[in-house]
Amino acid sequence: MAIHQGNSRFRDIQRSVQGITTKVLSTELKALEQNKLVVRRVYDTSPPTVEYTTSPYCETLQTMILEMIAWGKNHRDRVREE
């Protein structure tokens, strides 16, 4: 599994996360940007185009995330055995 690559617009992200509100997504994207995990680019178009992409720093999380996924799968299997 790879961390999402490429650019995404706000509405594209919102559509991909079922049930997320505009306010929550906006807050989360700002936090991700402040923590250097997401890069926000604004293009001089009318209306302005804003795109988000993962930063190179975000890539450093990939190993940890894959380990957490593996742990979660093992945990689920263990719980189902009982």
Side-chain angles (χ1 to χ4, degrees):
M1 178 191 143
I3 295 174
H4 174 74
Q5 295 295 312
N7 297 334
S8 295
R9 292 184 180 179
F10 186 91
R11 292 287 181 220
D12 296 333
I13 298 169
Q14 188 174 28
R15 284 187 204 106
S16 72
V17 182
Q18 188 174 3
I20 194 165
T21 65
T22 301
K23 182 178 179 179
V24 169
L25 179 57
S26 179
T27 300
E28 292 302 315
L29 285 170
K30 286 177 187 175
L32 289 167
E33 185 180 10
Q34 288 173 342
N35 285 287
K36 310 293 186 208
L37 298 172
V38 166
V39 176
R40 179 179 185 264
R41 290 189 178 88
V42 180
Y43 296 94
D44 188 21
T45 58
S46 182
T49 301
V50 179
E51 291 182 336
Y52 298 88
T53 189
T54 55
S55 70
Y57 180 58
C58 184
E59 306 273 334
T60 64
L61 293 171
Q62 187 167 2
T63 301
M64 181 185 64
I65 290 169
L66 292 174
E67 286 296 320
M68 290 174 67
I69 290 169
W71 183 91
K73 288 177 180 178
N74 288 333
H75 176 69
R76 180 188 59 211
D77 292 344
R78 184 177 201 153
V79 169
R80 285 182 178 168
E81 289 174 359
E82 296 176 3

